[in-house]
Amino acid sequence: MPISLIHLFLLVLLSVAAAAEVPLAWGPHADLKAKPAGEGEIEITLGDGNPHFWTGIVPAGFDPQKHRVFELEYFAPNGLDAATLRFRTADGKMAIAGTDSLPLSEAWQPWAFDLSRTPAQPAAGHAEMRFHVALHGRAGTVLRIRRMRLREMNAEEQRRLAQREQITAQRSQDAQRIRSYLDAQWPAQLHTVHAGLHDITLSGVGTAGMHAVPIPPEVASHVAKPILAEKVVLDAQGRFRLILPRLDPKTQRDRATWRWRLADEKGSTWLSAAKWPTVVGPALGGTLPRMQAKHAKGLGGIPHIAQPEHEIFQLGIAHATINLVVNAFIRDTPAPGHVPWPCEGRTYFIHERLLHSTDATLRLLSDRGIIVSGILLIGNHRHPDGRPHHAMTHPEAEPRGIFSMPNLTAESPARIYAAGVRLLAERYDGSAGRPGGRIANWIIHNEIDQAGTWTNMGDQPLERYLESYMRSARLVHHTARLFDRHARVFISLTHHWTRRSSGTGTYIVRDMLELFAKMARAEGDYEWGVAYHPYPRDLRNPDTWADADVSSGFDTLYITPKNLEVLPTFLNQERFHFAGKPRGILLSEQGFNTPTLSEADQRRQAAGLVYVFQKLAKLPQIEAYHLHRYQDAPAGEGGLRLGIITETGAHKLGWDVYREIGTGSEKERHFTEQAKHLWDAK
């Protein structure tokens, strides 16, 4: 070997040994099918028996004392029950590192395993040193993996490991306190909290010597302190009416988005539950009427639109969703491209170019009378040591989450989140003179029953997770109503109904709705709705009319297009009503995959679209169906092709079908007849 190549070889070995991570190659496998799919990706289809695979020989740079985490990234729309990791030890035997859940993931997610959980140690440097992964799931399940590696623990993982048991106990105790608060009975009551142009007016009943206490959004009701604040004077019947300035005299914060609660004269005991604003005065909320649509056809994944001739308008849509990553719009320190913006006594800095781009898209949608629903998201970007980049990211969120719960744990992050919400609500209230159009509906974060991926707050009891989520939803609702009295918020949920996915950060949808409704009633109900995502049972299979694991009862495992009527029927129960009416429902994300771009698979997608709209015609409580997505993105969605145009812009058959749906045209009738042949064949 020439001396230059020897030096190069040594340099490579030294760089691997010093690296923070050691890459692993794909190796032998059994009881599964594997094929390359995309750059560096392997698509795996589970077979019968014991599906498993080995990594390639582990490079010599692996140091068990240093590289304590085995990790790969995976995309599995249906998830697996679990995966078991094994490794070779110095005596040549195989040791079980452990078994962890491999929950469904509709985006690329890490599966990280702490090798130090077992006393055995991998045999670094062994000639046959490999890792072995057994996959536990139903035969036929498809997933993709990429980026297998061994790496060091980051600082955040080390901190969480050291504090895991203590944190779990604290969170469980807090969840119990939340339940106790919701179930408590109180001697006093706030009836109304009226938000006016300059004042907040409280009314209610109670006992002599009470004080009204304001509670800002960063404080949970069950842990707030009953400090002495505003003295309440009762009339002869024990009633009171108290008028207070809307802006907090000390901080200039707007208390029209705060709660109020009654405490005793000593400031030691709470006498009532908290109450959020119940009435917006006539000087607030604008004068625009509630938007109405003639039909439910809509579109999600709306691209930036700069011209009124954009082809999406050929589809005849009446609804659209647009993603709004709040911490991309606003920051608390200067930066290039950001301009100062004052809010509640502080100066923030807003991303001018991003706002102007959003303005242009919303104006064009609003000009055509399209009802826009804004999906509020919080980015979960991290420093290399695991710390969040932005104060708005929840401090208990795990790095694996694509998005985070907003940080409503302290004043400063709560204020910047509130400022970001206010910026968007005011700018997009639709009134004359505003630079953008109108956002009528506000979808609060994304798929919160799959929180580990989409609205991460760490491993939380349901009560604690929903309490934080409720404060975010309330803050958005009460802020938006200051500018648009018809604005509504919606809770975002997947098609899982009574089936809880494995892993942390997952919840049962039906349980979430029951508890969310109870929490809302406890502190003054408001007009929230449901943004549901009824994909087919298997996201890769568009034949929803043949879905398994679905039924017409409230105990169904899933709600898909096949049993879509279950959702409005469930929400039509009186305990879910608001002002005597059922909750509004948006189907804010769903679609039908084309497994390939063959004509046969495109017909299956088209048949799914016709099938679901025949269902919707009989379900008037469902206001909108937002098709996900406009354009295929197989690289970013694990090979799924949910769009009605390809990634190169070519129209699929689904484009023609979606354009004709709802028109009553001869073409629509033709597509319906073609679809029936597929339904009947199943």
Side-chain angles (χ1 to χ4, degrees), residues 117 339 348 478 578:
R117 285 160 56 173
V339 297
Y348 298 100
H478 297 296
F578 177 75

Side-chain angles (χ1 to χ4, degrees), residues 190-191 274-279 470 474 477-478 481 516-529 574-581 583:
L190 277 161
H191 289 153
K275 193 85 163 183
W276 295 83
T278 58
V279 181
M470 177 65 81
R474 285 282 203 176
H477 171 81
H478 297 296
R481 287 275 168 123
F516 190 85
K518 182 175 182 176
M519 286 179 168
R521 291 192 299 268
E523 298 189 335
D525 204 2
Y526 64 111
E527 195 176 3
W528 58 269
E574 188 174 348
R575 68 181 181 280
F576 291 106
H577 286 186
F578 177 75
K581 298 179 180 179
R583 299 283 167 183

Side-chain angles (χ1 to χ4, degrees), residues 25 62 95 105 157 159 167 207 308 313-314 364 369 406 428 572-573 580 618 667:
F62 170 49
S105 176
E157 287 171 329
R159 184 190 67 82
I167 289 172
T207 58
F313 296 124
Q314 299 171 20
L364 290 170
Y428 302 126
N572 200 30
Q573 297 175 91
K618 302 173 184 177
K667 286 185 177 179

Side-chain angles (χ1 to χ4, degrees), residues 557-574:
L557 296 179
Y558 299 86
I559 294 178
T560 77
K562 184 177 182 180
N563 64 339
L564 190 55
E565 60 279 359
V566 172
L567 181 61
T569 303
F570 181 82
L571 291 173
N572 200 30
Q573 297 175 91
E574 188 174 348

